[in-house]
Amino acid sequence: MEWYIDPTHADGPAVVRGHQIDGPGAMRFNGGIDQENYTGDWAVAPLLPALHLETVPNNVGTSLVVSGSYTRVQTPGCYAYQVDGLTFTEVTVFQVTFQ
């Protein structure tokens, strides 16, 4: 997954956290600056409780791209990301289904 942050808010690092909001399910992450030099199999990489990202300019000019990552959940349900930057906090709610 790649993350996009509006350039008016992307003036430094960002932290992503998340949790299931209709149950007890945890959300964990792989990637970001904490694992930028990881070279192993992502399927068995150590899971992180938060994702630390650094902003990078985008050629499109409408947003900034930050480090790629993986989000890990174990159960279907309603989840929310909270993304905190130096000048903003944004919450995004989404549903996970398994097939």
Side-chain angles (χ1 to χ4, degrees):
M1 167 184 274
E2 289 185 340
W3 293 85
Y4 295 85
I5 297 176
D6 184 309
T8 60
H9 296 297
D11 59 355
V15 178
V16 181
R17 296 175 187 86
H19 203 275
Q20 185 177 5
I21 58 177
D22 64 349
M27 183 186 299
R28 296 293 180 254
F29 303 94
N30 290 121
I33 61 176
D34 292 329
Q35 293 179 328
E36 66 185 349
N37 295 319
Y38 184 77
T39 58
D41 181 357
W42 284 109
V44 295
L47 297 176
L48 304 172
L51 183 64
H52 295 91
L53 303 171
E54 188 64 44
T55 60
V56 178
N58 182 347
N59 292 339
V60 177
T62 58
S63 62
L64 296 182
V65 178
V66 293
S67 305
S69 67
Y70 296 93
T71 298
R72 311 292 187 176
V73 298
Q74 293 184 331
T75 59
C78 188
Y79 287 80
Y81 289 120
Q82 178 175 323
V83 183
D84 296 309
L86 296 177
T87 61
F88 73 94
T89 294
E90 185 72 33
V91 174
T92 301
V93 177
F94 60 97
Q95 183 177 356
V96 172
T97 58
F98 295 139
Q99 297 201 24

